[in-house]
Structure formats: structure tokens, C-alpha cells
Amino acid sequence: MEKVKTAEASKTQQVHIVFTEDINGIGRLFGGRLVEWMDILAAVVARRHSECEVTTVSIDKVDFAAPAMLNDTVLLEGMLESVGNTSMRVNITAYVEKLNGERIMINSAKFVMVAMDEKGVPTRVPRLY
Ligand SMILES: CC(C)(COP(=O)(O)OP(=O)(O)OC[C@H]1O[C@@H](n2cnc3c(N)ncnc32)[C@H](O)[C@@H]1OP(=O)(O)O)[C@@H](O)C(=O)NCCC(=O)NCCS
């Protein structure tokens, strides 16, 4: 019988403080750095679901809704949306978290991750409950 797991089981959060090396020429968090953080988070969600090594095959609909600035706390949340045979679609949402706990959504994107066996061949992932 095929393994079945919930999206809740692989849900993952990641937190950063924006440092000077993360800033672009106009004083905002560099978009490429944010996408790097999001990609790592998507990989961890996909690893937790598949229990395999994974690779990113597609990043879809990356929307930069608002900037993050130097010294901001950036919170990222990743959750599985759906699975195919070997692929997993992971939603990532990024927020600036203010000192009072208020969250401002700054980015959302959909990552498609593929599970691979030890030879790098795509391998079937657990069904989503
Ligand atoms: C990911 C990779 C192993 C897939 O190999 P492949 O021979 O294309 O395998 P398949 O055609 O069987 O595709 C595997 C799954 O990925 C999905 N997929 C492939 N390309 C996709 C794309 N552009 N967008 C969304 N899904 C895609 C397929 O639909 C399939 O899903 P399913 O098994 O759930 O139906 C291969 O494309 C690869 O190594 N790509 C480079 C990945 C990489 O290096 N990423 C790091 C970024 S630099």
C-alpha cells in the first residue's frame, strides 16, 4: 500500500534578519537573495514529504508584493499544495514581521520540486492526504 502523508506534516518555517550583505543598490532586500531562501525552504518541505533528495524543476509566479528593508525580520512559510508522481508543488509565502508581531506579506511563489533516488532518477512520492 502506498504511503500517504498530510501537508501539515511537512509544513516548514524559516526566519532571517536582513543584513547589509542581503541589500541591493536601492537599500532593499535583494530579490535573488529572497528567492534563494525560498528555494531552500521549498527543498526542505519536499524532503520532509518525500523522504528523498530533491531538486527544483520550476519556479512559477514569483510575485514581489512589498519590499523588505535592512534589519527587518523576514519569515517564510512553506507548505505542500499538491503532488504528482514524482513532483511536489510547494507554496512559499514570505512576510516582514514587525516588532509588534504584525505580518506584511512581501512575496509568494510556487515551486515544483522533484524527488530523486540515489542515481538522480525521479522517484514516486507519498500521496497527499
Ligand atoms: C528534475 C529532473 C531530474 C527531471 O527529469 P526528467 O527527465 O525531466 O523527468 P520527468 O520528465 O519524468 O519529470 C519528472 C517530474 O517533473 C515534472 N516536470 C518536469 N519539468 C517540469 C517543469 N518545467 N515544470 C513543472 N513540472 C515539471 C514532470 O511533470 C514530472 O512530474 P510527475 O512525475 O509528478 O508527473 C531534470 O529535469 C533535472 O535534473 N533538471 C535540472 C534540475 C536542477 O538542476 N535544478 C537546480 C536548479 S539550477
Side-chain angles (χ1 to χ4, degrees), residues 35 38-39 42 56 58-59 88-90 92 109-113:
V35 173
M38 295 168 88
D39 194 22
T56 309
S58 174
I59 306 175
M88 294 156 279
R89 182 172 286 268
V90 182
I92 305 288
K110 293 176 185 297
F111 286 72
V112 181
M113 315 300 293

Side-chain angles (χ1 to χ4, degrees), residues 55-58 83-87 112 114 116 120 122:
T55 190
T56 309
V57 73
S58 174
V83 299
N85 288 316
T86 67
S87 65
V112 181
V114 173
M116 298 178 303

